[in-house]
Amino acid sequence: MTTIVRTINRGMLATTTILAATVGLAATAGAATAAPHPTAAQVTLSETGGFAGVHNRYVVDATTTHVDTPELVRLASTQRFQRLDATYPASTPGADRFAYTVTVRYNDGTTKAVATVEGADAPTVLWRTIDLTRQISLDVTGTPAC
């Protein structure tokens, strides 16, 4: 009786091992075929308007040496940013507001552009991207790229 139980247990162990290996291969194959999310290669911010009618352009590459560049690249590469609407208009009319357009070029050649205005109810990820792009560009160059 002991010999029979051992044989059955060994058979179950072999079946379990084969099943686990098959599931593992299927999971690995699925992961290998999933498309990776593109990574931001460059973020450009166009800032226009205001009382003086300014037009500023700020550009940050993923290779820009600044303490906040990795955070900017991470934000612009998130699904949350990539799923933003194309525009976020102001909910109330107003004069002399700044208008912003953020354009992100990704490492796969695609781009994402999002426009908003000062005072709009836009998602935090967009405002943070605007703030970081402006600050990094000014810290590195001292002036907008105009």
Side-chain angles (χ1 to χ4, degrees):
M1 184 101 165
T2 303
T3 305
I4 294 173
V5 171
R6 284 186 187 153
T7 304
I8 291 172
N9 285 341
R10 284 184 189 149
M12 290 178 69
L13 178 62
T15 302
T16 304
T17 303
I18 291 170
L19 179 59
T22 303
V23 170
L25 286 174
T28 303
T33 59
H37 299 294
T39 302
Q42 183 180 69
V43 181
T44 303
L45 169 64
S46 174
E47 175 185 56
T48 59
F51 179 73
V54 300
H55 183 92
N56 295 323
R57 187 169 162 259
Y58 307 92
V59 180
V60 178
D61 287 330
T63 59
T64 300
T65 303
H66 190 279
V67 68
D68 290 325
T69 300
E71 175 66 5
L72 176 61
V73 169
R74 186 193 68 75
L75 277 175
S77 301
T78 63
Q79 286 295 310
R80 201 169 19 149
F81 184 89
Q82 293 176 24
R83 291 182 180 151
L84 288 174
D85 292 339
T87 60
Y88 291 91
S91 55
T92 59
D96 301 326
R97 291 184 179 180
F98 283 100
Y100 306 99
T101 301
V102 176
T103 305
V104 180
R105 183 176 47 82
Y106 294 98
N107 63 347
D108 66 355
T110 61
T111 59
K112 169 77 176 179
V114 184
T116 192
V117 293
E118 190 175 22
D121 187 24
T124 303
V125 68
L126 178 57
W127 291 118
R128 183 75 177 133
T129 301
I130 290 169
D131 292 342
L132 282 171
T133 304
R134 182 189 309 112
Q135 191 59 54
I136 293 167
S137 182
L138 288 173
D139 286 352
V140 171
T141 64
T143 61
C146 296

